[in-house]
Amino acid sequence: MIPRIELTGVSKRFGSRQVLDGLDVAVMPGESLVIIGGSGTGKSVTLKCILGLIPIDGGSIKVDGQEVAGLKGAALDAHRTRFGMLFQGGALFDSLPVWRNISFALSGTPADRRSAAIDNLARVGLAAEVADLKPAELSGGMQKRVALARAIAARPPIIFFDEPTAGLDPITAAVINRLIRTLVTDLKITAITITHDMASVRLIADRVAMLHAGKIIWNGPLAGLDACDNAYVRQFITGSADGPIQMPGARP
Amino acid sequence: MIAALVAIGAPVLAALASIGRLTRFAVTALSRLLQPPWYPAQLAQQMLVIGWLSLPVVGLTAIFTGSALAQQIFIGGSRFNAASTVPAVTVIGVVRELGPVLGGLMVAGRVASAMAAELGTMRVTEQIDALVTLRTDPFRWLVAPRILAAVLVMPFLVLVSNALGVMGGWLLATQRLGFNSAQYLATTQRYLEVDDVVSSLVKAGVFGFFIALMGCYHGYHSGGGAAGVGRATTNAVVSSFILILLSNLIITVIVFGS
């Protein structure tokens, strides 16, 4: 079977800093991959490279077997129609009400788009009354749900979740995690999630990959995570300060 | 020797690269105005924000400056028996220079900073990336409507500025300096030429373009969190001020230099 997304030898440098250094990873159709790794290891950069928001320096990115690195213009626009994205901070448009945020990429009359927005609000557990509020009038958890509704509104076959529970309390985070799992399963979406939150990993992932120093250093099914003997993965999942992973800028 | 060349060459290359980036940004934005999709609602909103909401500050600036100008011309002219030139010099000074330049600077202070702050915040909160992932070109949605709106409304603002500036001079001259109202207005009308008004409106359009271009450019390329947005705002205002003053000089020399 052809992977839905396949990255081979992807590299990306910002100035003197090599963020991605020969990254190899693949996601099969309908699979939910969670990428874990410390801050600044290039997780968000990986997603932005796949979306064509950041050009790569080398390697290959294939979606449904088609090379997408270097696409421009209409071909890049067509490539992006396959994706939805939940940004870390929600990235809702402040100047637009909730319903226009959700239906931003939808076509049709305003009444149709508003109706579609309300349907998607219901999917993420929010009432129709929220539709006319501005993002600034919502709590952090509600903003994440609205952003989730926007990500799924056009029913893309692939969705990226960038730190979906960052900044949320544990209960709201659990609700968001469950929503993501339900949406991924019900809508048969291929998903890549990046997170530090191990509760998210255990609820969302079919498979887990760990990114460190610009490379995937471990990749396996969720069931194999706890039995993994990779020292980097062990340190990350136990949240230990002692181990091979050192904080960037820390004294040796 | 090589060190000296490097010291001179590095900033020159950096300046040339900045000019190249800015030119590319402007060309991209202008090219989006020529082909659909267009966003008329965005354009209307920006015309309201730039035009209507700038009227108070532009109007007050014009009235105060026109009055002060009339007072200074009266004092200066009295020294060589030319106090009667107040209406003629006021209308020429206001329409050719003070109306468009001060109006442009006031709008730049209000609008370029706001645009840079808004787009800068959208950049650092990933809203611009979100636009792209939602298949919307940020140049079409954010930049082109702002530039077009500024170019369209600035001539209107400057017309108002000119009228209020002349009115400020007339008010002061008739209420404080003893000028006859009908004579003042007749002299004003006699000395005001079509070229004065046309050059004023051309300047206004050019200033509007630079104000929106600088606001959008610095906001769009801002980074580094809140401090980066602050820097973008400052750079937008300073660069638009400089471009307004420079382009004013160039247009003045071209139109009136001969």
Side-chain angles (χ1 to χ4, degrees):
Chain A
M1 187 189 282
I2 299 173
R4 177 129 272 172
I5 302 172
E6 185 177 21
L7 281 71
T8 312
V10 171
S11 60
K12 179 67 194 176
R13 174 186 284 272
F14 293 105
S16 61
R17 204 162 74 89
Q18 188 75 45
V19 177
L20 302 180
D21 187 15
L23 178 80
D24 297 314
V25 72
V27 194
M28 302 309 287
E31 186 178 41
S32 174
L33 172 74
V34 175
I35 300 178
I36 58 174
S39 300
T41 51
K43 303 187 299 296
S44 296
V45 171
T46 303
L47 297 188
K48 289 182 178 180
C49 287
I50 299 170
L51 286 166
L53 293 171
I54 297 176
I56 59 174
D57 298 334
S60 158
I61 300 175
K62 288 183 177 170
V63 176
D64 294 330
Q66 302 285 312
E67 181 64 47
V68 297
L71 286 180
K72 287 192 169 70
L76 184 56
D77 284 344
H79 161 63
R80 287 182 180 139
T81 60
R82 291 180 281 194
F83 295 88
M85 171 100 182
L86 174 66
F87 287 87
Q88 188 171 346
L92 297 173
F93 306 127
D94 305 319
S95 58
L96 303 179
V98 162
W99 77 267
R100 287 198 59 200
N101 264 281
I102 295 172
S103 63
F104 196 88
L106 304 182
S107 52
T109 65
D112 291 343
R113 292 170 56 209
R114 188 184 157 81
S115 168
I118 290 171
D119 288 347
N120 283 293
L121 277 174
R123 267 203 175 272
V124 297
L126 289 174
E129 291 75 51
V130 174
D132 292 316
L133 300 178
K134 289 282 181 69
E137 297 174 274
L138 306 177
S139 68
M142 289 169 84
Q143 286 186 14
K144 274 279 164 67
R145 288 196 202 204
V146 171
L148 195 50
R150 184 175 70 180
I152 62 170
R155 297 293 180 268
I158 307 165
I159 300 189
F160 294 158
F161 302 98
D162 185 356
E163 304 278 7
T165 57
L168 300 179
D169 66 79
I171 297 169
T172 310
V175 170
I176 295 289
N177 285 333
R178 194 183 307 155
L179 264 174
I180 291 174
R181 183 69 251 184
T182 306
L183 290 170
V184 167
T185 306
D186 289 356
L187 302 176
K188 297 180 174 52
I189 289 165
T190 303
I192 300 181
T193 306
I194 58 179
T195 185
H196 302 109
D197 180 356
M198 290 311 297
S200 292
V201 176
R202 295 183 194 286
L203 202 60
I204 296 172
D206 295 325
R207 203 154 52 79
V208 182
M210 175 143 178
L211 183 58
H212 181 72
K215 290 184 172 69
I216 296 293
I217 56 165
W218 185 83
N219 184 349
L222 176 66
L225 185 65
D226 289 321
C228 162
D229 58 2
N230 182 301
Y232 291 87
V233 178
R234 299 284 335 143
Q235 185 188 356
F236 192 87
I237 64 175
T238 57
S240 170
D242 301 319
I245 304 174
Q246 296 298 312
M247 283 178 63
R251 280 190 299 183
Chain B
M1 180 64 183
I2 290 176
L5 283 174
V6 169
I8 297 166
V12 169
L13 285 177
L16 289 175
S18 295
I19 292 169
R21 274 195 301 273
L22 178 61
T23 306
R24 200 168 134 187
F25 186 90
V27 169
T28 307
L30 292 175
S31 71
R32 299 303 194 269
L33 289 171
L34 302 176
Q35 34 179 271
W38 295 294
Y39 297 102
Q42 287 287 96
L43 177 66
Q45 190 196 0
Q46 290 306 318
M47 288 176 78
L48 181 76
V49 170
I50 300 167
W52 182 249
L53 299 183
S54 297
L55 269 176
V57 69
V58 169
L60 285 174
T61 304
I63 289 175
F64 295 150
T65 308
S67 304
L69 180 67
Q71 178 71 64
Q72 292 289 11
I73 294 165
F74 182 77
I75 295 167
S78 301
R79 292 178 193 162
F80 43 92
N81 226 9
S84 60
T85 58
V86 169
V89 179
T90 299
V91 72
I92 290 172
V94 165
V95 175
R96 286 189 182 184
E97 292 297 326
L98 293 179
V101 171
L102 289 182
L105 294 178
M106 296 310 288
V107 174
R110 205 186 80 78
V111 171
S113 56
M115 285 181 184
E118 186 180 3
L119 268 64
T121 305
M122 290 185 74
R123 168 63 71 196
V124 299
T125 57
E126 296 184 304
Q127 289 180 53
I128 292 181
D129 285 342
L131 269 179
V132 175
T133 62
L134 293 165
R135 276 84 67 195
T136 301
D137 181 350
F139 276 88
R140 288 186 197 284
W141 175 257
L142 296 172
V143 181
R146 281 167 172 76
I147 289 179
L148 183 59
V151 171
L152 291 177
V153 301
M154 269 304 287
F156 160 74
L157 278 174
V158 165
L159 268 184
V160 173
S161 173
N162 290 344
L164 291 176
V166 171
M167 195 188 87
W170 166 79
L171 260 179
L172 189 118
T174 54
Q175 301 303 312
R176 192 164 183 276
L177 306 178
F179 278 78
N180 174 278
S181 174
Q183 268 186 346
Y184 188 101
L185 291 176
T187 310
T188 297
Q189 201 174 358
R190 196 162 61 243
Y191 278 92
L192 180 65
E193 294 179 355
V194 174
D195 282 358
D196 299 335
V197 178
V198 171
S199 76
S200 188
L201 298 183
V202 169
K203 284 180 180 182
V206 172
F207 297 166
F209 174 74
F210 284 133
I211 290 167
L213 180 67
M214 289 298 108
C216 292
Y217 175 77
H218 289 288
Y220 192 86
H221 291 293
S222 102
V229 176
R231 268 195 306 276
T233 307
T234 306
N235 290 340
V237 174
V238 171
S239 57
S240 55
F241 274 27
I242 291 169
L243 284 171
I244 285 172
L245 296 172
L246 177 65
S247 58
N248 177 62
L249 173 63
I250 293 169
I251 296 170
T252 299
V253 169
I254 291 171
V255 176
F256 300 108
S258 57

